[in-house]
Amino acid sequence: LHHEAVAEMAAAGGEPSTQSGPDDLFNHFYTEVKQIEKRDSVLTSKQQIDRLLRPGSSYFNLNPFEVLQIDPEATDEELKKRFRALSILVHPDKNQDDPDRAQLAFEAVDKAYKNLLDPEQKKRAVDVIQAGREYVEHNMKEKKKQLKKDGKPQFLEEDDPEMFRQAVYKQTMKLFAELEIKRKEREAKDMHERKRAREEEIETAEKAKREREWQKNFEETRDGRVDSWRSFQAGKSKAKKEKKPRSFLKPPKVKMEQRE
């Protein structure tokens, strides 16, 4: 999954595309999110609902820290306060003019918060973010090595802190999306295996049932088969006794001629 595919995914309404395309849509979205984050610490309800339900949200919202707009280094108390503030903003009761979308946004916030309360899920999210950062840093080192080898200035756009953050954000989003796709593939495979095992179980049970029915029918009809066989044998014996012996006609003797 490339970041171009993720941009196509957003344009398509949330599902990744196999075709690559420009980064314009993603860059526009990223800039817009950062501009919103620089505003007041508490956004309006509509802004938060729009952010949480933007095109491609099914993949963007895989990062629980991004959903709650909180740093991975935040304390549990800070996490709790952030969840309270955000959940109140997007709660359906506070957004009765748009309750359906508010409910979806609230569910996204609630899910992200519960994931971060789970130590294992939180560690997984932190590891993905760290992997994204390490990937970008490694790429930067490799690029600078190549520039030095080519005798060119060793300056990259990622040297700018904001561009570096954007690169890490892109890579992190890609990793979350790739992990989710793999999870769905494993889930589909497991479901197929369970279905196949169930079908085999049903077939085995049906076969055993047919064998039991055949055995039962065989036992129930055995006496009748034995009686029929005995009657057949008795009839043969009687026929033999009543049968007359056959008489064979002897051919006349041939007299040999005597020669003088």
Side-chain angles (χ1 to χ4, degrees):
L1 178 67
H2 303 290
H3 60 273
E4 292 91 348
V6 176
E8 288 285 330
M9 166 199 71
E15 297 303 324
S17 171
T18 55
Q19 299 179 352
S20 60
D23 272 348
D24 293 346
L25 180 60
F26 176 81
N27 290 333
H28 174 73
F29 157 75
Y30 182 86
T31 302
E32 181 180 293
V33 169
K34 293 307 170 185
Q35 288 174 348
I36 292 175
E37 290 177 346
K38 290 178 182 178
R39 297 175 189 173
D40 297 338
S41 58
V42 178
L43 304 181
T44 67
S45 296
K46 185 179 184 308
Q47 285 175 330
Q48 288 291 5
I49 292 173
D50 289 343
R51 179 181 71 85
L52 293 167
L53 301 182
R54 64 193 179 277
S57 59
S58 61
Y59 284 88
F60 284 117
N61 291 349
L62 292 172
N63 183 349
F65 295 105
E66 187 67 24
V67 172
L68 298 176
Q69 292 183 311
I70 195 169
D71 292 331
E73 296 81 12
T75 64
D76 290 344
E77 186 61 28
E78 290 172 332
L79 175 62
K80 186 176 181 180
K81 288 181 179 179
R82 181 56 185 159
F83 167 70
R84 282 181 177 176
L86 192 53
S87 61
I88 290 173
L89 277 176
V90 300
H91 198 280
D93 291 345
K94 186 178 176 62
N95 298 273
Q96 295 185 9
D97 58 329
D98 195 5
D100 293 339
R101 296 180 75 245
Q103 179 63 35
L104 293 175
F106 178 81
E107 290 173 0
V109 171
D110 186 62
K111 181 179 179 181
Y113 180 60
K114 288 178 178 176
N115 282 343
L116 294 181
L117 287 180
D118 183 335
E120 185 177 341
Q121 291 291 335
K122 182 176 182 179
K123 182 181 183 302
R124 172 182 174 276
V126 171
D127 289 345
V128 172
I129 294 172
Q130 182 61 29
R133 176 181 290 273
E134 291 175 356
Y135 180 88
V136 172
E137 291 174 344
H138 174 75
N139 267 6
M140 290 177 66
K141 288 180 181 179
E142 293 299 315
K143 288 179 181 179
K144 288 189 175 184
K145 283 182 183 179
Q146 188 61 43
L147 289 173
K148 183 178 181 180
K149 183 179 180 181
D150 296 340
K152 297 179 181 179
Q154 300 174 44
F155 176 76
L156 301 173
E157 62 177 9
E158 291 88 351
D159 288 330
D160 178 85
E162 186 60 29
M163 295 303 294
F164 177 77
R165 285 184 60 196
Q166 181 173 340
V168 171
Y169 184 88
K170 286 182 180 181
Q171 184 59 33
T172 299
M173 184 183 66
K174 286 167 57 180
L175 291 176
F176 273 110
E178 287 172 355
L179 288 173
E180 179 65 7
I181 289 172
K182 289 179 180 178
R183 185 192 68 79
K184 289 183 177 180
E185 288 175 349
R186 288 195 303 270
E187 189 177 79
K189 183 178 179 181
D190 291 343
M191 185 179 296
H192 175 74
E193 290 296 325
R194 289 196 298 270
K195 181 181 178 182
R196 185 174 61 83
R198 179 57 180 161
E199 290 175 349
E200 290 179 354
E201 181 181 340
I202 293 174
E203 176 59 27
T204 301
E206 288 292 331
K207 183 178 179 181
K209 181 180 178 181
R210 289 194 298 269
E211 290 178 351
R212 288 195 302 269
E213 290 177 348
W214 183 90
Q215 186 65 30
K216 180 181 178 182
N217 182 63
F218 180 84
E219 294 293 336
E220 290 176 347
T221 59
R222 180 173 56 183
D223 292 342
R225 291 195 307 274
V226 171
D227 290 342
S228 297
W229 175 252
R230 287 173 178 170
S231 298
F232 174 73
Q233 290 293 91
K236 286 182 64 178
S237 299
K238 185 177 181 181
K240 283 183 178 180
K241 290 179 180 179
E242 294 178 352
K243 189 174 181 180
K244 295 180 179 180
R246 294 176 62 184
S247 59
F248 295 93
L249 296 175
K250 292 182 179 181
K253 290 184 179 181
V254 178
K255 292 183 179 181
M256 298 296 293
E257 293 182 0
Q258 292 183 355
R259 294 183 179 180
E260 293 182 356

